[in-house]
Amino acid sequence: MLSLRLLDWFWQAGTGVTIAAITWLLYRRRWAGLLAGVLYGIGYYSVDFWHSAQTDGFVNLPAALSVLFFVLAGQKKRPVYWLLSGSMIGIAVLTKYPIGLLLPFVLLLIPLAFGFNRHSLRNMALVGVGFGLSLLGFVLFAGVRGGLGAFLDIQFGYIPHYNSGFARDQSYLAYT
């Protein structure tokens, strides 16, 4: 239990630093970045002991990194940041897949923020490729390690069956 709590502490500290970096990049105020990072930590750890070190908390770092890479991509104009932004969303999805709603938001934000042009289309494609590569990497890793079948059974068998109790007489999509 101590190891998990330490991992959570370091993970959330990394998330706080990432949020501080995003805030600093957007506002160029060191105090604002520091305040944002500290407020994140206070907010996260104001929830009681039993609600920390959960997948909901572990999804925060890759989601925040996705936003950080998005901001860096917009400021530095380097294609690798678009790939990394999409990749972090993919990693976040592997942690808790409702965060995948961040992907269409990021894809929509690119032409809204930078105009609808061929560069925006390329950047949207790079985000999508980064997202897909992270998922493909996981599938290959899980397949080589022999865990892909169990993972797919849990995702498309156990979880929908468990949730079907909450969505009686609805479609497969409703209880998935």
Side-chain angles (χ1 to χ4, degrees):
M1 202 59 181
L2 177 62
S3 297
L4 180 61
R5 297 295 170 185
L6 285 173
L7 172 65
D8 184 57
W9 191 87
F10 286 115
W11 194 269
Q12 300 314 323
T15 305
V17 168
T18 302
I19 290 170
I22 293 166
T23 306
W24 183 84
L25 284 169
L26 292 174
Y27 299 103
R28 299 291 182 198
R29 300 278 190 266
R30 185 175 294 158
W31 64 267
L34 185 61
L35 181 62
V38 168
L39 286 175
Y40 169 77
I42 290 170
Y44 181 80
Y45 284 107
S46 67
V47 180
D48 68 18
F49 174 82
W50 298 107
H51 294 96
S52 60
Q54 301 286 336
T55 56
D56 302 81
F58 287 124
V59 77
N60 294 342
L61 181 57
L65 284 169
S66 174
V67 172
L68 176 63
F69 290 130
F70 180 91
V71 171
L72 286 170
Q75 292 181 358
K76 306 274 187 201
K77 309 293 186 218
R78 292 195 181 139
V80 70
Y81 289 128
W82 295 114
L83 279 168
L84 290 170
S85 181
S87 179
M88 289 297 110
I89 297 171
I91 290 170
V93 163
L94 290 169
T95 305
K96 192 160 181 93
Y97 44 75
I99 196 67
L101 292 173
L102 184 58
L103 181 64
F105 177 74
V106 165
L107 292 174
L108 179 63
L109 195 57
I110 292 171
L112 289 175
F114 305 106
F116 192 79
N117 52 49
R118 66 182 175 87
H119 291 295
S120 289
L121 289 174
R122 180 204 67 187
N123 297 339
M124 292 168 70
L126 288 170
V127 169
V129 167
F131 178 80
L133 286 175
S134 63
L135 295 181
L136 180 62
F138 171 79
V139 166
L140 293 173
F141 177 77
V144 167
R145 300 278 306 194
L148 185 59
F151 174 78
L152 293 174
D153 183 51
I154 290 168
Q155 298 308 308
F156 299 106
Y158 175 77
I159 292 173
H161 178 72
Y162 174 80
N163 288 336
S164 67
F166 301 109
R168 297 202 190 286
D169 301 322
Q170 294 184 17
S171 69
Y172 178 80
L173 183 59
Y175 61 80
T176 299

